[in-house]
Amino acid sequence: PAPRADRPRAALCAFNIEGVHASDLATMIDLDGVAIRSGHHCTQPLHRHLGVDASARASLYVYNSSHDVDAFIAALHKAVDLLGGTLTPTEPN
C-alpha cells in the first residue's frame, strides 16, 4: 500500500526479547538461514538511556518477499523457544 501520513512505516525494526541477549538471538536465527543484526547499531547513547546492552534489528528491502518475512517469524519463534525467552507483543505508540 502507498504511504499515508496517519500510518507511519519503516523498513526496519529494532527489538529485544525478554530474557534473551540480542547476539544469541541473531546467532540462532542465522542457523535457520535468516540474517539479522545485533549490537548497538551506532546508537550507544540510546541503548544506555533505555538500559539495554544491545538490540536485534531486522531489515527489509525491495528484494524481500512475504516468504522472507514468514521465514524470519518462524526462525524468531524457534529461537525464542530454544533460548527460553518471552515474546510479549506491544501496541505501537
Side-chain angles (χ1 to χ4, degrees):
R4 296 181 359 203
D6 64 333
R7 187 176 222 178
R9 305 184 320 173
L12 63 90
C13 177
F15 61 96
N16 284 305
I17 302 296
E18 187 175 340
V20 178
H21 192 278
S23 295
D24 296 335
L25 183 67
T27 299
M28 294 301 294
I29 290 175
D30 181 61
L31 293 174
D32 280 330
V34 177
I36 67 169
R37 301 273 187 209
S38 63
H40 291 122
H41 318 292
C42 299
T43 61
Q44 291 91 337
L46 176 61
H47 281 79
R48 251 191 320 275
H49 175 75
L50 296 174
V52 296
D53 294 328
S55 62
R57 185 184 73 206
S59 304
L60 296 171
Y61 196 58
V62 296
Y63 48 74
N64 292 111
S65 67
S66 60
H67 171 75
D68 296 323
V69 175
D70 293 341
F72 163 68
I73 292 169
L76 176 63
H77 281 275
K78 181 179 173 183
V80 170
D81 288 344
L82 288 170
L83 295 169
T86 304
L87 283 175
T88 308
T90 58
E91 291 296 317
N93 294 336

